[in-house]
PDB file of all heavy atoms in Angstrom:
ATOM      1  N   GLU A   1       3.272  14.461   1.839  1.00 97.00           N
ATOM      2  CA  GLU A   1       2.115  14.353   0.960  1.00 97.00           C
ATOM      3  C   GLU A   1       1.740  12.890   0.776  1.00 97.00           C
ATOM      4  O   GLU A   1       2.545  12.086   0.305  1.00 97.00           O
ATOM      5  CB  GLU A   1       2.399  14.988  -0.403  1.00 97.00           C
ATOM      6  CG  GLU A   1       1.202  14.947  -1.347  1.00 97.00           C
ATOM      7  CD  GLU A   1       1.481  15.540  -2.715  1.00 97.00           C
ATOM      8  OE1 GLU A   1       2.668  15.547  -3.127  1.00 97.00           O
ATOM      9  OE2 GLU A   1       0.528  15.996  -3.375  1.00 97.00           O
ATOM     10  N   LEU A   2       0.507  12.561   1.113  1.00 98.00           N
ATOM     11  CA  LEU A   2      -0.028  11.236   0.837  1.00 98.00           C
ATOM     12  C   LEU A   2      -0.422  11.180  -0.633  1.00 98.00           C
ATOM     13  O   LEU A   2      -1.269  11.956  -1.079  1.00 98.00           O
ATOM     14  CB  LEU A   2      -1.232  10.952   1.737  1.00 98.00           C
ATOM     15  CG  LEU A   2      -1.924   9.600   1.567  1.00 98.00           C
ATOM     16  CD1 LEU A   2      -0.967   8.452   1.836  1.00 98.00           C
ATOM     17  CD2 LEU A   2      -3.135   9.515   2.490  1.00 98.00           C
ATOM     18  N   VAL A   3       0.176  10.277  -1.392  1.00 98.00           N
ATOM     19  CA  VAL A   3      -0.039  10.272  -2.834  1.00 98.00           C
ATOM     20  C   VAL A   3      -1.004   9.199  -3.307  1.00 98.00           C
ATOM     21  O   VAL A   3      -1.651   9.377  -4.346  1.00 98.00           O
ATOM     22  CB  VAL A   3       1.292  10.170  -3.615  1.00 98.00           C
ATOM     23  CG1 VAL A   3       2.188  11.351  -3.283  1.00 98.00           C
ATOM     24  CG2 VAL A   3       2.009   8.849  -3.352  1.00 98.00           C
ATOM     25  N   ALA A   4      -1.123   8.086  -2.586  1.00 98.00           N
ATOM     26  CA  ALA A   4      -1.990   7.011  -3.048  1.00 98.00           C
ATOM     27  C   ALA A   4      -2.410   6.112  -1.903  1.00 98.00           C
ATOM     28  O   ALA A   4      -1.655   5.888  -0.958  1.00 98.00           O
ATOM     29  CB  ALA A   4      -1.298   6.173  -4.125  1.00 98.00           C
ATOM     30  N   VAL A   5      -3.626   5.584  -2.002  1.00 98.00           N
ATOM     31  CA  VAL A   5      -4.193   4.694  -0.987  1.00 98.00           C
ATOM     32  C   VAL A   5      -4.889   3.541  -1.700  1.00 98.00           C
ATOM     33  O   VAL A   5      -5.516   3.744  -2.748  1.00 98.00           O
ATOM     34  CB  VAL A   5      -5.227   5.415  -0.099  1.00 98.00           C
ATOM     35  CG1 VAL A   5      -5.696   4.515   1.030  1.00 98.00           C
ATOM     36  CG2 VAL A   5      -4.664   6.711   0.444  1.00 98.00           C
ATOM     37  N   ILE A   6      -4.809   2.349  -1.123  1.00 98.00           N
ATOM     38  CA  ILE A   6      -5.496   1.195  -1.689  1.00 98.00           C
ATOM     39  C   ILE A   6      -6.143   0.373  -0.588  1.00 98.00           C
ATOM     40  O   ILE A   6      -5.568   0.185   0.487  1.00 98.00           O
ATOM     41  CB  ILE A   6      -4.540   0.331  -2.551  1.00 98.00           C
ATOM     42  CG1 ILE A   6      -5.308  -0.758  -3.311  1.00 98.00           C
ATOM     43  CG2 ILE A   6      -3.420  -0.270  -1.702  1.00 98.00           C
ATOM     44  CD1 ILE A   6      -4.485  -1.400  -4.428  1.00 98.00           C
ATOM     45  N   SER A   7      -7.349  -0.103  -0.854  1.00 98.00           N
ATOM     46  CA  SER A   7      -8.101  -0.880   0.121  1.00 98.00           C
ATOM     47  C   SER A   7      -7.529  -2.277   0.281  1.00 98.00           C
ATOM     48  O   SER A   7      -6.680  -2.727  -0.486  1.00 98.00           O
ATOM     49  CB  SER A   7      -9.571  -0.955  -0.287  1.00 98.00           C
ATOM     50  OG  SER A   7      -9.709  -1.592  -1.547  1.00 98.00           O
ATOM     51  N   ARG A   8      -8.027  -2.984   1.294  1.00 98.00           N
ATOM     52  CA  ARG A   8      -7.482  -4.294   1.628  1.00 98.00           C
ATOM     53  C   ARG A   8      -7.528  -5.287   0.481  1.00 98.00           C
ATOM     54  O   ARG A   8      -6.570  -6.032   0.255  1.00 98.00           O
ATOM     55  CB  ARG A   8      -8.220  -4.867   2.843  1.00 98.00           C
ATOM     56  CG  ARG A   8      -7.995  -4.086   4.130  1.00 98.00           C
ATOM     57  CD  ARG A   8      -8.903  -4.579   5.227  1.00 98.00           C
ATOM     58  NE  ARG A   8     -10.308  -4.440   4.848  1.00 98.00           N
ATOM     59  CZ  ARG A   8     -11.319  -4.961   5.519  1.00 98.00           C
ATOM     60  NH1 ARG A   8     -11.091  -5.673   6.617  1.00 98.00           N
ATOM     61  NH2 ARG A   8     -12.559  -4.776   5.103  1.00 98.00           N
ATOM     62  N   GLY A   9      -8.638  -5.299  -0.242  1.00 98.00           N
ATOM     63  CA  GLY A   9      -8.796  -6.208  -1.366  1.00 98.00           C
ATOM     64  C   GLY A   9      -8.278  -5.665  -2.680  1.00 98.00           C
ATOM     65  O   GLY A   9      -8.303  -6.378  -3.694  1.00 98.00           O
ATOM     66  N   GLY A  10      -7.828  -4.420  -2.689  1.00 98.00           N
ATOM     67  CA  GLY A  10      -7.243  -3.831  -3.880  1.00 98.00           C
ATOM     68  C   GLY A  10      -8.235  -3.242  -4.873  1.00 98.00           C
ATOM     69  O   GLY A  10      -7.828  -2.772  -5.935  1.00 98.00           O
ATOM     70  N   MET A  11      -9.518  -3.228  -4.521  1.00 97.00           N
ATOM     71  CA  MET A  11     -10.528  -2.778  -5.476  1.00 97.00           C
ATOM     72  C   MET A  11     -10.809  -1.279  -5.415  1.00 97.00           C
ATOM     73  O   MET A  11     -11.373  -0.721  -6.364  1.00 97.00           O
ATOM     74  CB  MET A  11     -11.834  -3.546  -5.250  1.00 97.00           C
ATOM     75  CG  MET A  11     -11.724  -5.036  -5.550  1.00 97.00           C
ATOM     76  SD  MET A  11     -11.371  -5.378  -7.307  1.00 97.00           S
ATOM     77  CE  MET A  11      -9.607  -5.743  -7.224  1.00 97.00           C
ATOM     78  N   ASN A  12     -10.429  -0.631  -4.330  1.00 98.00           N
ATOM     79  CA  ASN A  12     -10.674   0.790  -4.164  1.00 98.00           C
ATOM     80  C   ASN A  12      -9.362   1.538  -3.992  1.00 98.00           C
ATOM     81  O   ASN A  12      -8.509   1.120  -3.215  1.00 98.00           O
ATOM     82  CB  ASN A  12     -11.582   1.046  -2.963  1.00 98.00           C
ATOM     83  CG  ASN A  12     -12.938   0.397  -3.123  1.00 98.00           C
ATOM     84  OD1 ASN A  12     -13.264  -0.578  -2.435  1.00 98.00           O
ATOM     85  ND2 ASN A  12     -13.733   0.924  -4.043  1.00 98.00           N
ATOM     86  N   THR A  13      -9.217   2.635  -4.726  1.00 98.00           N
ATOM     87  CA  THR A  13      -8.005   3.440  -4.658  1.00 98.00           C
ATOM     88  C   THR A  13      -8.350   4.921  -4.652  1.00 98.00           C
ATOM     89  O   THR A  13      -9.447   5.326  -5.051  1.00 98.00           O
ATOM     90  CB  THR A  13      -7.080   3.166  -5.852  1.00 98.00           C
ATOM     91  OG1 THR A  13      -7.768   3.473  -7.073  1.00 98.00           O
ATOM     92  CG2 THR A  13      -6.630   1.716  -5.873  1.00 98.00           C
ATOM     93  N   ASP A  14      -7.390   5.730  -4.194  1.00 98.00           N
ATOM     94  CA  ASP A  14      -7.515   7.171  -4.304  1.00 98.00           C
ATOM     95  C   ASP A  14      -6.123   7.761  -4.467  1.00 98.00           C
ATOM     96  O   ASP A  14      -5.137   7.183  -3.982  1.00 98.00           O
ATOM     97  CB  ASP A  14      -8.220   7.778  -3.089  1.00 98.00           C
ATOM     98  CG  ASP A  14      -8.615   9.228  -3.321  1.00 98.00           C
ATOM     99  OD1 ASP A  14      -9.209   9.521  -4.379  1.00 98.00           O
ATOM    100  OD2 ASP A  14      -8.328  10.073  -2.454  1.00 98.00           O
ATOM    101  N   TYR A  15      -6.052   8.902  -5.161  1.00 98.00           N
ATOM    102  CA  TYR A  15      -4.786   9.543  -5.469  1.00 98.00           C
ATOM    103  C   TYR A  15      -4.838  11.032  -5.173  1.00 98.00           C
ATOM    104  O   TYR A  15      -5.890  11.665  -5.308  1.00 98.00           O
ATOM    105  CB  TYR A  15      -4.443   9.362  -6.947  1.00 98.00           C
ATOM    106  CG  TYR A  15      -4.342   7.922  -7.367  1.00 98.00           C
ATOM    107  CD1 TYR A  15      -5.457   7.239  -7.850  1.00 98.00           C
ATOM    108  CD2 TYR A  15      -3.138   7.237  -7.263  1.00 98.00           C
ATOM    109  CE1 TYR A  15      -5.368   5.906  -8.221  1.00 98.00           C
ATOM    110  CE2 TYR A  15      -3.042   5.905  -7.631  1.00 98.00           C
ATOM    111  CZ  TYR A  15      -4.159   5.244  -8.109  1.00 98.00           C
ATOM    112  OH  TYR A  15      -4.057   3.926  -8.473  1.00 98.00           O
ATOM    113  N   ALA A  16      -3.696  11.572  -4.805  1.00 98.00           N
ATOM    114  CA  ALA A  16      -3.582  13.012  -4.683  1.00 98.00           C
ATOM    115  C   ALA A  16      -3.712  13.654  -6.057  1.00 98.00           C
ATOM    116  O   ALA A  16      -3.320  13.072  -7.071  1.00 98.00           O
ATOM    117  CB  ALA A  16      -2.237  13.380  -4.064  1.00 98.00           C
ATOM    118  N   ASP A  17      -4.264  14.860  -6.090  1.00 98.00           N
ATOM    119  CA  ASP A  17      -4.423  15.560  -7.366  1.00 98.00           C
ATOM    120  C   ASP A  17      -3.092  15.715  -8.105  1.00 98.00           C
ATOM    121  O   ASP A  17      -3.055  15.691  -9.339  1.00 98.00           O
ATOM    122  CB  ASP A  17      -5.048  16.931  -7.146  1.00 98.00           C
ATOM    123  CG  ASP A  17      -6.519  16.856  -6.774  1.00 98.00           C
ATOM    124  OD1 ASP A  17      -7.155  15.806  -6.993  1.00 98.00           O
ATOM    125  OD2 ASP A  17      -7.037  17.863  -6.264  1.00 98.00           O
ATOM    126  N   SER A  18      -2.005  15.846  -7.366  1.00 98.00           N
ATOM    127  CA  SER A  18      -0.701  16.067  -7.965  1.00 98.00           C
ATOM    128  C   SER A  18      -0.197  14.877  -8.779  1.00 98.00           C
ATOM    129  O   SER A  18       0.679  15.040  -9.629  1.00 98.00           O
ATOM    130  CB  SER A  18       0.324  16.429  -6.885  1.00 98.00           C
ATOM    131  OG  SER A  18       0.380  15.426  -5.889  1.00 98.00           O
ATOM    132  N   VAL A  19      -0.725  13.681  -8.523  1.00 98.00           N
ATOM    133  CA  VAL A  19      -0.260  12.484  -9.227  1.00 98.00           C
ATOM    134  C   VAL A  19      -1.358  11.778 -10.005  1.00 98.00           C
ATOM    135  O   VAL A  19      -1.075  10.805 -10.719  1.00 98.00           O
ATOM    136  CB  VAL A  19       0.408  11.481  -8.264  1.00 98.00           C
ATOM    137  CG1 VAL A  19       1.482  12.167  -7.431  1.00 98.00           C
ATOM    138  CG2 VAL A  19      -0.621  10.801  -7.366  1.00 98.00           C
ATOM    139  N   LYS A  20      -2.574  12.247  -9.896  1.00 98.00           N
ATOM    140  CA  LYS A  20      -3.714  11.596 -10.537  1.00 98.00           C
ATOM    141  C   LYS A  20      -3.507  11.479 -12.039  1.00 98.00           C
ATOM    142  O   LYS A  20      -3.126  12.444 -12.703  1.00 98.00           O
ATOM    143  CB  LYS A  20      -4.988  12.369 -10.221  1.00 98.00           C
ATOM    144  CG  LYS A  20      -6.269  11.571 -10.389  1.00 98.00           C
ATOM    145  CD  LYS A  20      -7.446  12.282  -9.702  1.00 98.00           C
ATOM    146  CE  LYS A  20      -7.264  12.331  -8.186  1.00 98.00           C
ATOM    147  NZ  LYS A  20      -8.391  13.011  -7.494  1.00 98.00           N
ATOM    148  N   GLY A  21      -3.742  10.298 -12.567  1.00 98.00           N
ATOM    149  CA  GLY A  21      -3.568  10.038 -13.983  1.00 98.00           C
ATOM    150  C   GLY A  21      -2.173   9.598 -14.361  1.00 98.00           C
ATOM    151  O   GLY A  21      -1.959   9.146 -15.492  1.00 98.00           O
ATOM    152  N   ARG A  22      -1.228   9.734 -13.437  1.00 98.00           N
ATOM    153  CA  ARG A  22       0.156   9.365 -13.708  1.00 98.00           C
ATOM    154  C   ARG A  22       0.635   8.187 -12.862  1.00 98.00           C
ATOM    155  O   ARG A  22       1.452   7.390 -13.317  1.00 98.00           O
ATOM    156  CB  ARG A  22       1.093  10.550 -13.462  1.00 98.00           C
ATOM    157  CG  ARG A  22       0.776  11.759 -14.339  1.00 98.00           C
ATOM    158  CD  ARG A  22       1.844  12.844 -14.184  1.00 98.00           C
ATOM    159  NE  ARG A  22       1.898  13.366 -12.811  1.00 98.00           N
ATOM    160  CZ  ARG A  22       2.968  13.302 -12.025  1.00 98.00           C
ATOM    161  NH1 ARG A  22       4.094  12.743 -12.472  1.00 98.00           N
ATOM    162  NH2 ARG A  22       2.936  13.820 -10.805  1.00 98.00           N
ATOM    163  N   PHE A  23       0.149   8.092 -11.635  1.00 98.00           N
ATOM    164  CA  PHE A  23       0.561   7.039 -10.709  1.00 98.00           C
ATOM    165  C   PHE A  23      -0.558   6.015 -10.551  1.00 98.00           C
ATOM    166  O   PHE A  23      -1.746   6.361 -10.590  1.00 98.00           O
ATOM    167  CB  PHE A  23       0.881   7.609  -9.329  1.00 98.00           C
ATOM    168  CG  PHE A  23       2.141   8.436  -9.238  1.00 98.00           C
ATOM    169  CD1 PHE A  23       2.811   8.890 -10.363  1.00 98.00           C
ATOM    170  CD2 PHE A  23       2.656   8.757  -7.985  1.00 98.00           C
ATOM    171  CE1 PHE A  23       3.963   9.651 -10.265  1.00 98.00           C
ATOM    172  CE2 PHE A  23       3.809   9.516  -7.868  1.00 98.00           C
ATOM    173  CZ  PHE A  23       4.465   9.968  -9.004  1.00 98.00           C
ATOM    174  N   THR A  24      -0.177   4.762 -10.329  1.00 98.00           N
ATOM    175  CA  THR A  24      -1.129   3.698 -10.061  1.00 98.00           C
ATOM    176  C   THR A  24      -0.649   2.867  -8.884  1.00 98.00           C
ATOM    177  O   THR A  24       0.469   2.344  -8.903  1.00 98.00           O
ATOM    178  CB  THR A  24      -1.313   2.777 -11.279  1.00 98.00           C
ATOM    179  OG1 THR A  24      -1.711   3.549 -12.417  1.00 98.00           O
ATOM    180  CG2 THR A  24      -2.381   1.723 -10.991  1.00 98.00           C
ATOM    181  N   ILE A  25      -1.492   2.748  -7.866  1.00 98.00           N
ATOM    182  CA  ILE A  25      -1.185   1.890  -6.730  1.00 98.00           C
ATOM    183  C   ILE A  25      -1.879   0.546  -6.936  1.00 98.00           C
ATOM    184  O   ILE A  25      -3.003   0.484  -7.439  1.00 98.00           O
ATOM    185  CB  ILE A  25      -1.606   2.546  -5.396  1.00 98.00           C
ATOM    186  CG1 ILE A  25      -1.112   1.721  -4.201  1.00 98.00           C
ATOM    187  CG2 ILE A  25      -3.115   2.763  -5.336  1.00 98.00           C
ATOM    188  CD1 ILE A  25      -1.302   2.424  -2.853  1.00 98.00           C
ATOM    189  N   SER A  26      -1.196  -0.526  -6.575  1.00 98.00           N
ATOM    190  CA  SER A  26      -1.768  -1.860  -6.658  1.00 98.00           C
ATOM    191  C   SER A  26      -1.189  -2.720  -5.550  1.00 98.00           C
ATOM    192  O   SER A  26      -0.217  -2.337  -4.895  1.00 98.00           O
ATOM    193  CB  SER A  26      -1.511  -2.487  -8.032  1.00 98.00           C
ATOM    194  OG  SER A  26      -0.119  -2.635  -8.268  1.00 98.00           O
ATOM    195  N   ARG A  27      -1.789  -3.874  -5.333  1.00 98.00           N
ATOM    196  CA  ARG A  27      -1.255  -4.788  -4.328  1.00 98.00           C
ATOM    197  C   ARG A  27      -1.453  -6.225  -4.769  1.00 98.00           C
ATOM    198  O   ARG A  27      -2.401  -6.549  -5.495  1.00 98.00           O
ATOM    199  CB  ARG A  27      -1.896  -4.542  -2.955  1.00 98.00           C
ATOM    200  CG  ARG A  27      -3.377  -4.867  -2.872  1.00 98.00           C
ATOM    201  CD  ARG A  27      -3.993  -4.312  -1.584  1.00 98.00           C
ATOM    202  NE  ARG A  27      -3.477  -4.967  -0.388  1.00 98.00           N
ATOM    203  CZ  ARG A  27      -3.603  -4.498   0.853  1.00 98.00           C
ATOM    204  NH1 ARG A  27      -4.230  -3.339   1.053  1.00 98.00           N
ATOM    205  NH2 ARG A  27      -3.105  -5.167   1.880  1.00 98.00           N
ATOM    206  N   ASP A  28      -0.557  -7.068  -4.338  1.00 98.00           N
ATOM    207  CA  ASP A  28      -0.630  -8.497  -4.573  1.00 98.00           C
ATOM    208  C   ASP A  28      -0.639  -9.152  -3.203  1.00 98.00           C
ATOM    209  O   ASP A  28       0.409  -9.302  -2.572  1.00 98.00           O
ATOM    210  CB  ASP A  28       0.549  -8.971  -5.408  1.00 98.00           C
ATOM    211  CG  ASP A  28       0.444 -10.431  -5.811  1.00 98.00           C
ATOM    212  OD1 ASP A  28      -0.290 -11.194  -5.147  1.00 98.00           O
ATOM    213  OD2 ASP A  28       1.101 -10.824  -6.786  1.00 98.00           O
ATOM    214  N   ASN A  29      -1.826  -9.509  -2.742  1.00 98.00           N
ATOM    215  CA  ASN A  29      -1.946 -10.039  -1.390  1.00 98.00           C
ATOM    216  C   ASN A  29      -1.280 -11.406  -1.232  1.00 98.00           C
ATOM    217  O   ASN A  29      -0.876 -11.774  -0.130  1.00 98.00           O
ATOM    218  CB  ASN A  29      -3.416 -10.108  -0.975  1.00 98.00           C
ATOM    219  CG  ASN A  29      -3.987  -8.738  -0.656  1.00 98.00           C
ATOM    220  OD1 ASN A  29      -3.241  -7.794  -0.386  1.00 98.00           O
ATOM    221  ND2 ASN A  29      -5.303  -8.619  -0.690  1.00 98.00           N
ATOM    222  N   ALA A  30      -1.161 -12.153  -2.327  1.00 98.00           N
ATOM    223  CA  ALA A  30      -0.477 -13.437  -2.272  1.00 98.00           C
ATOM    224  C   ALA A  30       1.019 -13.273  -2.047  1.00 98.00           C
ATOM    225  O   ALA A  30       1.681 -14.180  -1.557  1.00 98.00           O
ATOM    226  CB  ALA A  30      -0.736 -14.232  -3.549  1.00 98.00           C
ATOM    227  N   LYS A  31       1.548 -12.106  -2.423  1.00 98.00           N
ATOM    228  CA  LYS A  31       2.965 -11.814  -2.257  1.00 98.00           C
ATOM    229  C   LYS A  31       3.242 -10.831  -1.123  1.00 98.00           C
ATOM    230  O   LYS A  31       4.397 -10.472  -0.893  1.00 98.00           O
ATOM    231  CB  LYS A  31       3.548 -11.251  -3.553  1.00 98.00           C
ATOM    232  CG  LYS A  31       3.546 -12.223  -4.713  1.00 98.00           C
ATOM    233  CD  LYS A  31       4.165 -11.588  -5.947  1.00 98.00           C
ATOM    234  CE  LYS A  31       4.213 -12.561  -7.105  1.00 98.00           C
ATOM    235  NZ  LYS A  31       4.776 -11.934  -8.331  1.00 98.00           N
ATOM    236  N   ASN A  32       2.196 -10.393  -0.423  1.00 98.00           N
ATOM    237  CA  ASN A  32       2.339  -9.396   0.646  1.00 98.00           C
ATOM    238  C   ASN A  32       3.122  -8.174   0.172  1.00 98.00           C
ATOM    239  O   ASN A  32       4.016  -7.674   0.862  1.00 98.00           O
ATOM    240  CB  ASN A  32       3.020 -10.008   1.877  1.00 98.00           C
ATOM    241  CG  ASN A  32       2.133 -10.982   2.624  1.00 98.00           C
ATOM    242  OD1 ASN A  32       0.917 -11.015   2.440  1.00 98.00           O
ATOM    243  ND2 ASN A  32       2.738 -11.786   3.480  1.00 98.00           N
ATOM    244  N   THR A  33       2.764  -7.695  -1.006  1.00 98.00           N
ATOM    245  CA  THR A  33       3.490  -6.596  -1.623  1.00 98.00           C
ATOM    246  C   THR A  33       2.537  -5.554  -2.174  1.00 98.00           C
ATOM    247  O   THR A  33       1.510  -5.895  -2.766  1.00 98.00           O
ATOM    248  CB  THR A  33       4.402  -7.112  -2.751  1.00 98.00           C
ATOM    249  OG1 THR A  33       5.317  -8.080  -2.215  1.00 98.00           O
ATOM    250  CG2 THR A  33       5.207  -5.984  -3.373  1.00 98.00           C
ATOM    251  N   VAL A  34       2.882  -4.285  -1.978  1.00 98.00           N
ATOM    252  CA  VAL A  34       2.154  -3.180  -2.565  1.00 98.00           C
ATOM    253  C   VAL A  34       3.098  -2.452  -3.520  1.00 98.00           C
ATOM    254  O   VAL A  34       4.304  -2.365  -3.262  1.00 98.00           O
ATOM    255  CB  VAL A  34       1.574  -2.231  -1.485  1.00 98.00           C
ATOM    256  CG1 VAL A  34       2.671  -1.607  -0.641  1.00 98.00           C
ATOM    257  CG2 VAL A  34       0.688  -1.167  -2.120  1.00 98.00           C
TER     258      VAL A  34
END
């Protein structure tokens, strides 16, 4: 199950219905970390 997706700049995200409202995806491009 794909649960979360984030765009290159971090401004666009999407979540599976099963985790929506509970999970948050983010990224720090300066740290090369998601």
Side-chain angles (χ1 to χ4, degrees):
E1 182 182 25
L2 179 60
V3 300
V5 186
I6 188 165
S7 61
R8 294 172 300 170
M11 295 296 102
N12 299 110
T13 60
D14 192 48
Y15 301 91
D17 288 343
S18 56
V19 308
K20 201 165 294 180
R22 300 187 297 120
F23 289 13
T24 304
I25 188 171
S26 62
R27 66 192 293 164
D28 186 338
N29 286 340
K31 295 181 178 178
N32 289 344
T33 302
V34 61

